[in-house]
């Protein structure tokens, strides 16, 4: 699978891990379509990378269909990288009472249903493209989290949604094997995303020191570097890769 001259959709592509991945794709000669709810940031980055931006709620079938249709207009769609997500922090029962159900449902809807929505629509389009010599047609990379395995206090919604993305990986890869479409998931540890960078420096330093090695926060370009390796290595399929410096999260 080559990146050059092929089209890749990146959800959550306006910032953080998605933006770093978009920069990697563009630098490798690919065409990027950023799908995000952040209009100003997404439009600016798309212009910088000579790509396209489309406002997209990943839970919306109509929005997802519009993104895929635009991607097809841009050229040969070969990949989807799902980076859109939310990370609420609420205890199952806290001092204000039980976990609000709508907060839990929103996390599941965006992180899991949104991931599946975009994957199913992109896979349908990718499956109709000409196969490469190897029989491959494309790649879907989803984003989970180490919280899928080591969910901390207050992460019931987030951790369960990301564990479901991990559980989605193998059956989806098996479903799409006959179409020559691979499915992989990356489970990042603690990364320098906009959410984390908004925390005080001492908090960020303390989080970084929890990582055995390297004892720091992950950098978005390291996620993008792994995404590129996955795209280019056809034998990587149906698996989740932890990208976390060997961290195993403590309860809090």
């Amino acid at each position: 699978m080559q990146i050059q001259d092929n089209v890749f959709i990146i959800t959550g592509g306006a910032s953080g891990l998605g933006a770093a991945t978009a920069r990697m794709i563009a630098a490798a000669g690919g065409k990027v379509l950023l799908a995000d709810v952040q209009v100003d940031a997404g439009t600016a980055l798309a212009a910088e990378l000579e790509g396209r931006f489309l406002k997209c709620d990943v839970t919306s079938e109509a929005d997802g269909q519009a993104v895929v249709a635009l991607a097809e207009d841009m050229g040969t769609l070969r990949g989807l990288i799902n980076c859109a997500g939310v990370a609420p922090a609420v205890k199952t029962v806290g001092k204000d009472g039980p976990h609000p159900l709508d907060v839990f449902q929103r996390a599941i809807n965006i992180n899991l249903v949104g991931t599946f929505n975009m994957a199913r629509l992109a896979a349908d389009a990718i499956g109709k493209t000409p196969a490469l010599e190897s029989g491959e047609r494309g790649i879907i990379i989803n984003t989970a989290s180490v919280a899928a395995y080591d969910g901390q206090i207050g992460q019931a919604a987030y951790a369960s949604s990301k564990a479901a993305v991990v559980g989605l990986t193998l059956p989806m890869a098996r479903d799409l094997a006959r179409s020559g479409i691979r499915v992989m998931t990356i489970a990042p540890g603690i990364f320098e995303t906009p959410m984390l960078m908004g925390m005080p420096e001492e908090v960020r330093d303390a989080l970084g020191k929890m990582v055995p090695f390297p004892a720091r926060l992950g950098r978005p370009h390291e996620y993008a570097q792994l995404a590129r390796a996955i795209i280019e290595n056809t034998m990587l399929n149906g698996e989740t890769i932890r990208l976390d410096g060997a961290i195993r999260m403590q309860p809090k």
Side-chain angles (χ1 to χ4, degrees):
M1 173 63 62
Q2 297 298 312
I3 293 173
Q4 187 167 352
D5 299 327
N6 287 319
V7 179
F8 291 82
I9 297 168
I10 304 167
T11 71
S15 63
L17 303 179
T21 303
R23 292 183 189 281
M24 177 276 291
I25 295 289
K31 302 173 186 177
V32 294
L33 171 52
L34 309 180
D36 205 309
V37 293
Q38 301 179 76
V39 176
D40 291 343
T43 302
L45 182 58
E48 176 191 333
L49 301 179
E50 299 182 352
R52 300 291 297 275
F53 169 79
L54 195 61
K55 184 178 180 182
C56 175
D57 172 355
V58 294
T59 69
S60 163
E61 181 166 21
D63 282 9
Q65 289 171 333
V67 167
V68 171
L70 178 55
E72 291 179 304
D73 286 343
M74 292 170 62
T76 303
L77 177 60
R78 290 295 187 196
L80 165 71
I81 299 100
N82 273 315
C83 293
V86 294
V90 186
K91 293 180 181 178
T92 304
V93 178
K95 57 186 177 182
D96 296 324
H99 195 305
L101 187 59
D102 63 333
V103 174
F104 188 91
Q105 289 173 326
R106 180 172 183 266
I108 298 296
N109 207 28
I110 294 173
N111 294 352
L112 174 59
V113 178
T115 292
F116 183 74
N117 181 42
M118 297 304 297
R120 71 188 180 95
L121 296 172
D124 182 55
I126 294 170
K128 296 170 184 173
T129 62
L132 301 172
E133 205 172 302
S134 64
E136 185 174 14
R137 285 188 171 85
I139 175 78
I140 294 171
I141 301 175
N142 296 323
T143 304
S145 165
V146 295
Y149 309 96
D150 316 324
Q152 295 185 293
I153 290 171
Q155 289 188 340
Y158 181 65
S160 58
S161 70
K162 292 302 189 178
V165 172
V166 172
L168 183 66
T169 307
L170 181 59
M172 184 181 284
R174 288 172 164 171
D175 281 351
L176 299 177
R178 68 177 185 174
S179 299
I181 301 171
R182 295 183 289 122
V183 181
M184 287 288 293
T185 296
I186 299 174
I190 309 173
F191 269 65
E192 293 175 351
T193 60
M195 180 180 67
L196 269 177
M197 295 310 288
M199 295 180 178
E201 185 176 356
E202 60 270 21
V203 174
R204 299 200 306 269
D205 289 344
L207 288 170
K209 288 174 182 175
M210 292 169 58
V211 182
F213 185 83
R216 59 168 173 80
L217 300 179
R219 292 165 186 154
H221 74 84
E222 292 168 324
Y223 174 99
Q225 184 180 8
L226 177 56
R228 178 167 187 169
I230 290 170
I231 291 167
E232 295 178 341
N233 190 330
T234 307
M235 189 53 76
L236 287 172
N237 192 17
E239 185 55 274
T240 299
I241 300 175
R242 289 182 67 133
L243 184 65
D244 60 14
I247 195 170
R248 296 298 181 268
M249 303 293 286
Q250 299 301 308
K252 60 180 179 178

